[in-house]
Amino acid sequence: MRVMLKATLDTDKANEVLRSGKMQDLLAETLEHIKPEAAYFGPEGGRRTCFLVFDMKESSDLPPVGEPFFSHLNAKVEVFPIMNLDDLKKGLSQLR
């Protein structure tokens, strides 16, 4: 199932990781594991935020996906199902 992960980073913890020089490696390692079809980064609500779109094959994939954000960045993590336009069209066609 296609999902979007939104990770809102704790400012103090993210600053610590940035100062240590480990942010780039942490993100690269995390993205290599998740293999998102899209990854966006920017401010949301005044905090550094990551938006990752990826295929979550099983619900048991959730702990290894979220844990780097929790343990290294003290992030607030949300995961929710999403659709692209083709998915939406397919779903709507089944309403008839």
Side-chain angles (χ1 to χ4, degrees):
M1 173 185 300
R2 181 179 283 117
V3 298
M4 179 180 285
L5 179 146
K6 175 183 165 187
T8 306
L9 311 186
D10 175 77
T11 300
D12 291 335
K13 189 66 174 176
N15 285 344
E16 179 184 315
V17 173
L18 277 169
R19 280 191 295 271
S20 73
K22 296 179 182 177
M23 181 67 83
Q24 189 170 352
D25 291 339
L26 175 62
L27 288 176
E29 181 180 309
T30 302
L31 294 177
E32 177 61 30
H33 172 75
I34 296 173
K35 297 183 181 9
E37 68 180 64
Y40 300 97
F41 307 89
E44 196 268 329
R47 300 211 176 214
R48 295 177 184 101
T49 306
C50 304
F51 299 92
L52 307 177
V53 177
F54 63 98
D55 183 34
M56 188 162 58
K57 302 212 184 314
E58 298 183 27
S59 57
S60 61
D61 293 337
L62 191 53
V65 165
E67 195 56 38
F69 295 104
F70 289 128
S71 61
H72 296 290
L73 297 165
N74 197 26
K76 176 183 174 186
V77 177
E78 301 174 69
V79 178
F80 40 95
I82 59 170
M83 296 179 283
N84 64 20
L85 183 57
D86 291 337
D87 296 333
L88 179 61
K89 287 178 182 178
K90 181 179 178 182
L92 291 175
S93 73
Q94 296 174 19
L95 294 177
R96 297 182 189 165

